[in-house]
Amino acid sequence: MAKKGAQVVLQEEINNNDDWVKMLEKSGIYVVDVYAEWCGPCIPMIANLKKIKLEIGNENLHYAVAKSDNIMALERFRQKSEPHWLFFFDGNLVNLIIGSNAPRLMNLITDEVEQYVKFKNGEIQREFIPMNQITEEEKKKMIEYEHYQNQKIKNEKKIIDDRMMKAREYYLRRFSVNIPLQTCVVYFPHTIEYIMVEKPPEEGAELSEEPNEPVMVEKRVCNVATACSPKYAEFTVNEAIEMQLTEDKLNQMFFMDKELLESFPSELIDQLLSKKVFSVMLSMPVIKNEDVVSEGAAVDNEIPPDPAEHMGIVEQRLSTIIYGNGSPLNPSPDSFAVEHMIVNSSNVKIPSLYTPTNPLSKAAALAVLFKKFCLNNGYVPPQPPLPQYIVIFDIEKSNIVLPIIEDLEGKIDHYGFFRNADPENPILLCKDYELLTTYGMDKIGKDGKLVLSVLKDDNDKSLLRFVDVGPIYVSPDSDVGIDDAIKFFPHDFDQMDGEVKIWLAQQSAREEEAMAAVEDGDGEEHVAGEDEEFSRRKENEKEGEEERPFTTKLSTVS
């Protein structure tokens, strides 16, 4: 044991290449804490290092801290945030551990001191590790970090997918109205093979007197598609393509048929992600009357297309051709789908084709497989929300906040006036300050709030403009802000009218009815009270126009 009260020089500082070389020239066992300037050495471990040195009392044990920033031999440690502890026997690297696990480090120091004594006495040999060699400890840490990063990416993707789910369904629903007569059928990779065939002569090409050597080209063959095509002869083939699906595209294609996708055996999923599918887009130019005619309606041989009446008919017709009276999950025993299923070596049935059975699942499939067609026919792919913050003010501060909104027009994603600040039950009043004052602040009450979403920018400059005004709430970070914004400003916010606009529309309808009654010469007594209310409101509007301090340019109300 070291003498009680003896002065212990704990850690040498190694700051450059010269210091590093001098340390390697010294004898003894060195335990070096390698750090980067941006992170700093492991200060909490100093007390443990001091304790173990005092307990061991071996003069050959030395500690050092090495700043990797200016030492070439330690270049690979410069971006590491965890402590890296290097063990040297007489300037030769013998061990390396990573982390701030104090018991593990203390035990290893004790063991290595014992090993060093045996090493110096010639009792054992130690294998030295070249400084440029990645140690097993580092490899293990790299694998852990890679796994962590992959899991982080998956978690972030799941959060984004969850946020996008309602928006995706909303846009697919809107798009499905534009394509009532189209549908598709998808043939899975195991139904496709490629053969070499002789290339036919080009049209108009001159025939040579001497036969040329045939040019062979690759040709796709899909026997299931060949067998299926006569069954949908009433349809027109618009386009046929091959496509390599990614995991994202596969999930988007079966967005409305997730249960079916989850039922696919892993063998089929692997095929779908490694080989191409063959897809055919079909349309029915004319819907025959027996599919849509209502009771008592006139019966014609053919009726012109009407999206509202034809929704789902095309999908159902092709579904019956392929699945019989069943469904993709449970096709009829005598259906085309069952006939062309294959059974693998594990006796698992694998489907060979798929067709959507309703307008939404059809829209999801077409949006992936025939993107150009969909974009040309009104499909709007949903975009992930940008990083942003929700900021909430008492409605009385509108006069101060609205000029800032106008000044930062490009940095404000949405804003609106709400009856309260409850994100679980937001009640939109309106999106326009003029409508708000027309409605009357007295009808709103003290709980009314102005809510806005501020896009994240450099150093949050835009956000700070609003923070200075004194909001009652600001999202703690931009990720939380995205989730906050979805609650107040959902994907269909631009189509929402709000309580005030609905009330004004109802008022206008009542006034028109009252005026009509007066013009008809009756109902004067019935509308007298409403006329009085109408006159009073108009007078209030006139007074409001004189007092109104600000009208925003960013009104989204037509």
Side-chain angles (χ1 to χ4, degrees), residues 185 187 225 228-237 280 282 318 321-322:
V185 58
Y187 300 97
C228 188
S229 58
K231 296 180 179 296
Y232 51 71
E234 60 184 317
F235 291 81
T236 299
V237 175
V280 180
L282 305 167
L318 189 57
I321 291 172
I322 292 176

Side-chain angles (χ1 to χ4, degrees), residues 197-216:
V197 298
E198 185 177 341
K199 182 180 180 181
E202 296 181 4
E203 187 176 350
E206 294 183 3
L207 296 177
S208 174
E209 294 181 0
E210 297 182 4
N212 294 323
E213 185 175 343
V215 177
M216 306 301 289

Side-chain angles (χ1 to χ4, degrees), residues 228-288:
C228 188
S229 58
K231 296 180 179 296
Y232 51 71
E234 60 184 317
F235 291 81
T236 299
V237 175
N238 296 108
E239 188 178 352
I241 64 162
E242 289 180 286
M243 174 178 284
Q244 176 65 63
L245 297 173
T246 62
E247 185 175 355
D248 283 343
K249 287 181 178 178
L250 184 64
N251 286 321
Q252 290 172 22
M253 189 171 90
F254 289 95
F255 177 70
M256 303 304 300
D257 268 332
K258 290 183 179 178
E259 187 178 358
L260 175 63
L261 179 61
E262 291 169 357
S263 74
F264 287 169
S266 58
E267 180 180 338
L268 176 57
I269 296 296
D270 291 341
Q271 288 181 9
L272 290 169
L273 295 177
S274 61
K275 300 179 180 179
K276 293 180 180 180
V277 297
F278 175 51
S279 307
V280 180
M281 180 169 60
L282 305 167
S283 67
M284 184 166 286
V286 176
I287 299 290
K288 296 181 179 179

Side-chain angles (χ1 to χ4, degrees), residues 128 188 274 290:
F128 300 143
F188 295 154
S274 61
E290 61 265 21

Side-chain angles (χ1 to χ4, degrees), residues 525-537:
E525 184 175 336
H526 174 73
V527 301
E530 291 185 357
D531 285 344
E532 183 178 344
E533 169 63 19
F534 176 70
S535 300
R536 183 184 66 78
R537 188 171 62 79

Side-chain angles (χ1 to χ4, degrees), residues 129-404:
I129 304 171
M131 275 301 299
N132 60 354
Q133 178 178 314
I134 304 297
T135 64
E136 291 301 318
E137 177 91 357
E138 291 175 280
K139 292 177 182 178
K140 179 181 176 182
K141 184 60 66 173
M142 288 167 64
I143 292 172
E144 290 177 0
Y145 180 75
E146 184 177 356
H147 176 74
Y148 165 78
Q149 287 296 108
N150 290 337
Q151 191 60 46
K152 181 181 178 183
I153 291 171
K154 287 182 179 179
N155 292 339
E156 291 174 349
K157 184 178 181 302
K158 185 179 184 305
I159 291 173
I160 293 173
D161 289 344
D162 289 344
R163 288 169 178 165
M164 294 288 289
M165 189 173 296
K166 288 186 178 180
R168 192 179 304 281
E169 183 175 344
Y170 170 76
Y171 285 109
L172 289 174
R173 193 176 299 278
R174 293 185 65 184
F175 171 57
S176 65
V177 179
N178 299 342
I179 51 169
L181 304 179
Q182 284 75 34
T183 189
C184 66
V185 58
V186 183
Y187 300 97
F188 295 154
H190 61 266
T191 69
I192 305 168
E193 60 179 338
Y194 298 91
I195 61 174
M196 299 304 293
V197 298
E198 185 177 341
K199 182 180 180 181
E202 296 181 4
E203 187 176 350
E206 294 183 3
L207 296 177
S208 174
E209 294 181 0
E210 297 182 4
N212 294 323
E213 185 175 343
V215 177
M216 306 301 289
V217 294
E218 189 177 71
K219 180 182 178 181
R220 179 192 63 247
V221 177
C222 181
N223 292 327
V224 178
T226 302
C228 188
S229 58
K231 296 180 179 296
Y232 51 71
E234 60 184 317
F235 291 81
T236 299
V237 175
N238 296 108
E239 188 178 352
I241 64 162
E242 289 180 286
M243 174 178 284
Q244 176 65 63
L245 297 173
T246 62
E247 185 175 355
D248 283 343
K249 287 181 178 178
L250 184 64
N251 286 321
Q252 290 172 22
M253 189 171 90
F254 289 95
F255 177 70
M256 303 304 300
D257 268 332
K258 290 183 179 178
E259 187 178 358
L260 175 63
L261 179 61
E262 291 169 357
S263 74
F264 287 169
S266 58
E267 180 180 338
L268 176 57
I269 296 296
D270 291 341
Q271 288 181 9
L272 290 169
L273 295 177
S274 61
K275 300 179 180 179
K276 293 180 180 180
V277 297
F278 175 51
S279 307
V280 180
M281 180 169 60
L282 305 167
S283 67
M284 184 166 286
V286 176
I287 299 290
K288 296 181 179 179
N289 56 22
E290 61 265 21
D291 294 313
V292 296
V293 68
S294 59
E295 185 177 353
V299 178
D300 301 319
N301 290 330
E302 295 177 351
I303 59 176
D306 183 341
E309 293 180 347
H310 296 166
M311 290 289 286
I313 294 175
V314 173
E315 301 91 310
Q316 186 57 48
R317 185 170 292 179
L318 189 57
S319 173
T320 302
I321 291 172
I322 292 176
Y323 302 117
N325 294 323
S327 66
L329 275 169
N330 188 26
S332 297
D334 58 349
S335 66
F336 185 86
V338 170
E339 178 186 351
H340 290 276
M341 277 185 178
I342 64 171
V343 180
N344 66 11
S345 57
S346 301
N347 205 33
V348 175
K349 294 181 178 179
I350 300 177
S352 293
L353 72 168
Y354 163 73
T355 188
T357 59
N358 61 68
L360 285 183
S361 60
K362 173 191 68 177
L366 288 176
V368 171
L369 299 168
F370 301 96
K371 185 176 180 180
K372 185 176 180 180
F373 166 84
C374 294
L375 293 174
N376 290 337
N377 285 273
Y379 178 60
V380 180
Q383 300 299 319
L386 297 172
Q388 57 192 285
Y389 302 91
I390 282 293
V391 187
I392 303 177
F393 294 92
D394 286 323
I395 207 163
E396 289 82 2
K397 291 191 175 182
S398 298
N399 293 338
I400 305 173
V401 176
L402 289 173
I404 303 176

